[in-house]
Amino acid sequence: MQNLDGLGYRDRTVVVAGGSSGMGEQVARILGELGAKVHIVDIQAPKVPHLSFRQCDLSDFDQVRAAAAALAAEAPIDFVFPCAGLPPHIKGPMYCMRVNYIGTRLFVEELLPSVRDGGGIALISSDAAMGWQGNLAQSLEMLAISDPDEAYAWCEADPDARVRDGYTSSKEMLVVWVANKAVEYGNARRIRFNAIGPCPTRTAFMDEQEKLLPEGFLDAWPYPSLGRMATAEDQAWPLVLLNSPLNGAVTGSFLYTDQGFASGVFTGAINPAFMKGEVA
């Protein structure tokens, strides 16, 4: 990949959270092939080449703080890729929120002092968050709670309304967090902050999720651009490209990497009723 040096990753220090599987693993692999110095944070050991590995469970806030503190030794960090995430059926909606948003936010905020001015942060949300604007008032209420234990307690106070299935709400929170904090991070330190919104993607995550879906659900999903379900690599590349310094004018964005699903639903080109089994 020597012809891609212009993307700006060669010899740069990058941190990939969730870099041991799925999309995060492919992000770490691609960055390594682009010449970056890759440091991985995950609950399990990585299989792709890396300079260092810090074991961390994002649901354990003390572990998150410890991992971020340890990564200070690698400063200045040029790019951060928070890629870790869980579906709600693993340990329930509250745990899903704890990992996908609260723990991820804590990790980024604890790591920020080690990120160089002018750096970039790009994370993985989901097209499940495509209705985020409809829940914005409540999301902003949660966003205002910076302490992770207080944020979790806020969720516990009314989980049915504030957490719902855990996955959709946590992914919406990532979008709102990115959109809001990108302004602050940019004005203060010229750090860009963006997110992608993947469609169903063939990963171990989806293999488990598929067991809970109606038969034929994923076969009926529209795949206009690829004609098939996306792979982890298909999603990793947009994230890597989005965080490249070539995208200097792009921050606070939520880039749908969903083969046109969200835009199709928004404009009527795709009928979302198929998701309820109402159309073939």
Side-chain angles (χ1 to χ4, degrees):
M1 295 190 182
Q2 293 172 347
N3 60 330
L4 296 180
D5 279 1
L7 291 178
Y9 289 110
R10 183 162 297 280
D11 298 324
R12 296 303 182 106
T13 298
V14 302
V15 172
V16 183
S20 297
S21 63
M23 299 179 207
E25 180 180 58
Q26 293 305 307
V27 166
R29 178 188 61 79
I30 289 169
L31 290 168
E33 292 175 359
L34 290 172
K37 302 171 184 176
V38 179
H39 303 272
I40 293 177
V41 175
D42 205 310
I43 198 169
Q44 58 186 351
K47 299 179 287 293
V48 296
H50 56 281
L51 283 185
S52 76
F53 165 61
R54 272 86 173 181
Q55 190 171 41
C56 177
D57 181 347
L58 289 179
S59 72
D60 185 321
F61 300 151
D62 288 336
Q63 284 190 33
V64 172
R65 294 184 180 98
L71 283 163
E74 314 302 338
I77 294 166
D78 297 288
F79 303 100
V80 182
F81 293 84
C83 299
L86 292 172
H89 68 269
I90 298 297
K91 292 187 179 180
M94 288 294 296
Y95 187 82
C96 187
M97 175 64 81
R98 187 176 181 94
V99 171
N100 290 3
Y101 168 66
I102 302 175
T104 295
R105 175 178 173 177
L106 177 63
F107 178 72
V108 169
E109 292 181 343
E110 290 286 314
L111 197 61
L112 268 177
S114 299
V115 177
R116 71 169 176 85
D117 290 0
I121 305 168
L123 57 79
I124 300 174
S125 178
S126 169
D127 67 356
M130 58 189 287
W132 67 272
Q133 290 169 309
N135 298 306
L136 182 57
Q138 180 173 276
S139 295
L140 288 174
E141 186 177 347
M142 185 175 186
L143 182 71
I145 306 171
S146 59
D147 180 88
D149 292 306
E150 292 179 10
Y152 191 75
W154 181 87
C155 291
E156 284 185 310
D158 191 357
D160 289 343
R162 295 173 176 176
V163 181
R164 309 191 310 275
D165 71 340
Y167 186 77
T168 303
S169 55
S170 64
K171 293 300 186 177
E172 289 177 354
M173 284 305 306
L174 292 177
V175 173
V176 173
W177 175 41
V178 163
N180 180 274
K181 290 298 181 179
V183 177
E184 176 185 328
Y185 294 169
N187 282 334
R189 300 181 53 198
R190 298 293 177 257
I191 292 173
R192 295 184 305 111
F193 195 21
N194 293 291
I196 64 168
C199 56
T201 300
R202 182 53 68 195
T203 61
F205 176 117
M206 184 52 64
D207 291 343
E208 291 300 312
Q209 188 73 1
E210 189 172 9
K211 298 174 184 177
L212 304 177
L213 296 173
E215 185 176 355
F217 179 86
L218 292 178
D219 292 334
W221 195 279
Y223 302 111
S225 66
L226 295 173
R228 56 165 174 79
M229 187 182 297
T231 65
E233 183 176 3
D234 290 328
Q235 298 294 350
W237 270 110
L239 192 65
V240 169
L241 295 172
L242 184 61
N243 216 12
S244 166
L246 292 179
N247 284 315
V250 181
T251 195
S253 70
F254 178 34
L255 175 66
Y256 287 108
T257 56
D258 64 352
Q259 304 199 49
F261 178 74
S263 58
V265 171
F266 294 154
T267 61
I270 292 175
N271 185 348
F274 83 89
M275 298 177 69
K276 299 179 182 179
E278 296 172 7
V279 295

